[in-house]
Amino acid sequence: MSSIGTGYDLDSTTWSPQGRVFQVEYAGKAVDNSGTAIALRGKDGVVFAIEYAVTSKLYEKEPHHRIFNIGQHIGMVSAGLIADGRMVANEGRKEAHSYKSLYGDVIPVKVLNEKVSSFFHRYCVSYMGRPIGASVLLGSWDEQSGPGLYMIDPSGSSWGYYGCAIGKGRQNARSEIEKLKMADMTCKELLKEAAKIIYSVHDDVKDKEFNLFMSWVGADTGGKHELVPEDLLMEAEAYAKAALEDDDDDDDDEDED
């Protein structure tokens, strides 16, 4: 790509003759090289799951590099450059605080999505810096509006989703997500499916060991975004591993036939 973009990829305000902005595309590559993150929107909340590669056995097991609270009622997960994801989370918190100070109420996830999307886009159309090398998923739940889920990419484009995946395994993960009837499923049911998807898209040959981290926001948490309790996380992981073993056994049986 570098040879194609030579001369047109020096900053994010330069268009190529083909109408491409290469620095934004490079930011997307940073996301595609990151561990997979998914979010599933059920009938009573939103479940997040991330694949966090273990690059060194000396690191502590730490979920908060890619899972963030934006206020108590909105969860965010990122894929891409960890520092860029943290910067986005801090901007989201500023917007949430500003909204609460002005209106006296918590910011709706739809409004936060619009604010953060604009923040992403500003880095694509000015000399203030390079495009943000991260994509994020935002989710919340309340009794009046129900669950809400949004994805924002490095260009600042955003969409509402019932289920979404970002990172290196996003294509395979999205294929698995499309098989689920999420509107009829509870968060506790989606926890197992989310864990199964993360384990199924992880490439044991190419990729290193990984930790699975999960969080959720919904009726079970009283509308607060929290890490999934350890017992439910272990149950979801056990379900995922058992499901993968069953799939491997089925493949072996087909090969023998």
Side-chain angles (χ1 to χ4, degrees):
M1 179 178 287
S2 58
S3 60
I4 298 175
T6 300
Y8 298 101
D9 59 357
L10 302 180
D11 61 67
S12 61
T13 63
T14 302
W15 292 86
S16 78
Q18 292 78 33
R20 297 164 65 179
V21 181
F22 285 101
Q23 284 212 359
V24 175
E25 295 183 18
Y26 298 160
K29 289 295 182 182
V31 176
D32 291 341
N33 291 331
S34 172
T36 308
I38 68 172
L40 305 178
R41 173 180 157 185
K43 63 182 181 181
D44 61 348
V46 178
V47 170
F48 300 98
I50 63 169
E51 169 200 22
Y52 195 93
V54 179
T55 56
S56 172
K57 294 183 178 179
L58 300 178
Y59 287 161
E60 289 188 42
K61 192 174 181 180
E62 173 58 74
H64 298 294
H65 291 302
R66 292 177 57 197
I67 298 178
F68 306 91
N69 280 337
I70 310 298
Q72 290 186 324
H73 67 298
I74 296 177
M76 187 192 102
V77 300
S78 67
L81 302 181
I82 291 175
D84 284 22
R86 183 171 61 245
M87 180 180 72
V88 174
N90 288 335
E91 179 66 19
R93 289 164 180 159
K94 290 178 184 177
E95 293 290 351
H97 178 74
S98 177
Y99 188 96
K100 181 70 177 289
S101 299
L102 185 60
Y103 298 106
D105 198 4
V106 296
I107 187 170
V109 67
K110 183 177 181 180
V111 175
L112 180 68
N113 172 66
E114 294 170 354
K115 299 286 188 181
V116 176
S117 295
S118 297
F119 176 72
F120 270 83
H121 189 57
R122 286 199 297 273
Y123 279 86
C124 298
V125 295
S126 72
Y127 288 99
M128 65 187 296
R130 59 167 174 75
I132 297 171
S135 290
V136 300
L137 301 169
L138 297 168
S140 74
W141 176 91
D142 62 64
E143 292 183 359
Q144 290 75 34
S145 304
L149 172 62
Y150 294 88
M151 188 276 283
I152 307 172
D153 71 14
S155 71
S157 299
S158 66
W159 298 268
Y161 279 93
Y162 293 103
C164 188
I166 52 179
K168 66 172 63 176
R170 62 186 175 88
Q171 295 290 2
N172 291 336
R174 288 180 180 180
S175 297
E176 294 299 318
I177 291 172
E178 289 173 356
K179 299 176 184 178
L180 302 176
K181 296 181 179 180
M182 290 170 288
D184 300 325
M185 300 177 71
T186 65
C187 281
K188 288 186 177 179
E189 293 172 330
L190 288 175
L191 286 176
K192 295 180 179 180
E193 296 299 333
K196 178 184 174 183
I197 291 171
I198 291 293
Y199 269 89
S200 66
V201 302
H202 177 75
D203 191 332
D204 291 328
V205 177
K206 295 181 180 179
D207 298 334
K208 301 178 181 178
E209 294 182 10
F210 77 100
N211 291 321
L212 171 68
F213 297 120
M214 303 183 75
S215 65
W216 58 349
V217 55
D220 290 314
T221 66
K224 295 181 180 180
H225 176 244
E226 300 174 347
L227 291 176
V228 172
E230 190 67 24
D231 58 333
L232 292 180
L233 177 61
M234 293 177 64
E235 183 180 340
E237 284 195 283
Y239 172 84
K241 292 175 181 178
L244 288 181
E245 290 177 0
D246 289 342
D247 290 342
D248 291 340
D249 291 341
D250 291 341
D251 291 339
D252 291 341
D253 292 339
E254 290 179 3
D255 292 338
E256 291 177 1
D257 293 341

